[in-house]
Amino acid sequence: MVPLNTIIRIARPTDNLEKIARMYIDGLGFQELASFNDHQGFDGVIIGHPQQSYHLEFTHHRGTNVGKAPTQDNLLVFYIADKNAWEKSCAQMAAAGFTPVKSYNAYWDIEGNTFEDLDGYRGVLQCRNWPL
C-alpha cells in the first residue's frame, strides 16, 4: 500500500512548454513549484499548490516532437463542490486560453465543463463533491 502522505505527480510531454505551463497556472490558479533546463536534454516545469498532494509536470525533450493528445478521453478531472467557485474556475480556464469543448464521454457534461489545452489534452471541472 502506498503511504497516505505520498505526493502524486502527473507528468506529460509537450512541444509548448512555456505556453502550457502558463495556461495551467492561470487557468487553475496553480504556482510554479520548480523548473529545470537541459537535464540530460529535458526542460520541465512542475506546477501545483504547495499544500496539495498532487503536482503536474510538463516536459520537453529537446530535438523531439511529441504532437497532440492521443485521444479526446485523456482527462484531468477536478471536483469543485461550491457552485460559485466552480463558475469562477470555468471562467478562469477560458480566460487562460483553454477551449471549452463537448466531452468525449457525455457523463462529464452532466455536471461539468470540459476544456482543451493547445496540445489537445482535456481537463474537466465537475461541480460536485467527491466522493459521490
Side-chain angles (χ1 to χ4, degrees):
M1 172 182 255
V2 175
L4 293 178
N5 62 346
T6 300
I7 303 282
I8 184 171
R9 179 176 301 157
I10 299 166
R12 75 162 169 92
T14 180
D15 296 323
N16 303 290
L17 185 60
E18 293 81 17
K19 289 179 182 178
I20 285 292
R22 178 55 42 203
M23 284 180 83
Y24 281 84
I25 288 169
D26 292 346
L28 295 169
F30 286 170
Q31 299 173 29
E32 182 177 314
L33 302 175
S35 65
F36 52 91
N37 290 302
D38 200 13
H39 177 74
Q40 298 179 349
F42 286 86
D43 300 325
V45 178
I46 301 162
I47 63 174
H49 294 291
Q51 297 83 17
Q52 295 293 344
S53 60
Y54 60 87
H55 304 151
L56 300 178
E57 177 178 354
F58 298 103
T59 61
H60 177 69
H61 189 199
R62 295 177 180 198
T64 65
N65 182 345
V66 297
K68 299 284 187 182
T71 74
Q72 294 176 335
D73 207 27
N74 287 79
L75 303 172
L76 292 174
V77 180
F78 295 89
Y79 289 85
I80 305 169
D82 179 87
K83 185 160 176 91
N84 290 331
W86 175 79
E87 288 173 349
K88 181 180 177 186
S89 295
C90 289
Q92 277 181 223
M93 292 289 278
F98 287 86
T99 303
V101 294
K102 184 174 172 58
S103 187
Y104 179 76
N105 179 340
Y107 170 81
W108 297 115
D109 291 331
I110 296 169
E111 293 185 69
N113 287 332
T114 302
F115 298 89
E116 188 171 278
D117 71 22
L118 49 98
D119 287 342
Y121 284 87
R122 293 179 173 201
V124 177
L125 301 183
Q126 278 290 293
C127 188
R128 60 168 58 169
N129 283 315
W130 177 262
L132 303 175

